[in-house]
Amino acid sequence: MAAHFGRLRKGATTTAVAAVAVAALSASQAPGVTTDDLGRQAAGAAQPSGDANTGGAGGGATGDSPYYTDLPPLKSPNPSPSASPTTGTTVSVGEAEAGIPATVLDAYKKAEAELRASKPGCNLPWQLLAAIGKVESGQARGGRVDASGTTYSPILGPKLDGNGFALIADTDHGAYDGDPAYDRAVGPMQFIPSTWEWAGRDGNGDGKKDPNNVYDAALAAGHYLCRFDRDLSVQSQMNAAILNYNNSTEYLNTVLSWLEYYRKGTHEVPDGTGTLPSHSSNSDPGSSPSPTTPATPSTPSTPSTPSTPKPGGGSTSPTPKPPTPSSPAPSPTPPTPTQTVDHLEDANTGKLTATAGSAFGTKVAVRAESKASKGVSKVRVRFTIIGDTDATFTGGESVATVVTGSAGTATAPALVAGEKTGDFTVRATVVGRVLGGLDYTATVTPRQADTLTRTSDTALTCVPGGEFADQVELKATYKGAVAGKVAATATLIKSADDATENDKGPYFKDADGKTIRTLTDLTTDADGVLKLPKLYADDATGTFLLRVNTTGGAVLTVELKVAAAAS
């Protein structure tokens, strides 16, 4: 059921590549073709020549493409309202169907976040991708993906060779589907090569667009659904997007059923443990779409050798035939790297401190270890920023997923402090395992200045009852560099030794014109400049002092003189 390609009725013929094709479950496969455990095969359809980027908007969508027809349980998943202390993801022991493999779920949510930024008007919910992923491939065969999100073996549809399916000659020289003669649908979201060629995306940032990678496929499906400036918060437009993915009312209803189910609640389960569907739209009711394996014919029994008469009577027994050795039991599937992780250890992460608006000099680093305290490579570690903060990882994200290297170490992207000061937490957890995580406290300190100077040396004078002609303008620096966005206060003080607010002499005015002699919530601009409001004088004469302080310890005292005009 690849995006937008359909299957022709069985027995139909086609004479042009423009014919649409669809995926299907096939009971037989050519040598080397890999299917999922349920024999799942789905394909999409080719676009007419010269119309590939329209996505079949003019009627090229699938007509009767097969798909998984399993429906969600009637009972709501009803997840626990609390979040896991280790992963930050809602955890539930509800219906098994509500569980989505961790890496697959992460891919759907990342695709939603990317579309929210690049196409905010689309309003794509990740639950829609989960619903389509369930119907198309059973969530990548229950989450059988590696640390980077790539399926352990390709999910391929049948040959679209006109034998019960549409005829689509090879368009990719076998690059995506391994078939140099005919196209096949590929991957967790079931795209055929000609569609993937323009719809493919790099969702995991590895520089490749791989239809067998759940991050790439989920992002491609999201962009596919969001074409034509659709707003998926409008039901009619969501329906149109789903029907464009597979033009079948039954398909639409099945996807919408899973969408509603996932919206009521879901939780992540370890990779490889997802619930697999068992029914297909082109299977007999109640039958499994799995191809059956013919039973091994039994070896015909060997006729018994007649006994040889012994001289003098009796007989000799035939030599007993040694028993045929039984076939060895299949070896158990070895555990994935993620399943061997026992705990996370800190990997020499230093103190996490930064000034507001700057990058942290230290990165969070952890090591995934087995029970024997050996590093485990190829494990996905999720780093999550938690707390009341606007700090992010490089790139503006609050969640980052990193694959451990050969030593089992994963290092988070650099942290960038926002404008909010104070502490927050960076939590590291293993994707696909319910293990205790590691929490790191990070601190954002206010911007600082260590020096204040006036930008002019003009004397500040005024007559009683008048106003100062010049406004006080200052420039802040920190270690010789411009100190922008630094907080400051300005107070008209009584004397150099008494910093309490003066009750006479020069003053500022508030928005209502009332006299004030202390200004708070001042901030230098991006160039470190602070220009104070206009100053006024009452009837007192003499020399008065204005003191300005910034975070970081910069202090400057400015003289203000009020004297009667010379006669």
Side-chain angles (χ1 to χ4, degrees), residues 159-187:
K159 289 184 178 182
L160 297 176
D161 57 4
N163 183 20
F165 304 99
L167 173 60
I168 302 183
D170 174 65
T171 62
D172 66 329
H173 304 290
Y176 295 120
D177 55 15
D179 192 328
Y182 300 97
D183 272 352
R184 301 168 182 257
V186 185

Side-chain angles (χ1 to χ4, degrees), residues 360 385-392 415-417 420 422-426 440-444:
F360 284 73
I385 295 174
I386 301 171
D388 183 18
T389 181
D390 54 356
T392 64
L415 284 165
V416 179
K420 289 185 178 180
D423 294 342
F424 64 91
T425 299
V426 179
Y440 295 85
T441 299
T443 303
V444 179

Side-chain angles (χ1 to χ4, degrees), residues 47-73:
Q47 287 301 320
S49 176
D51 194 33
N53 292 327
T54 66
T62 61
D64 59 354
S65 174
Y67 51 89
Y68 281 125
T69 57
D70 300 54
L71 293 173

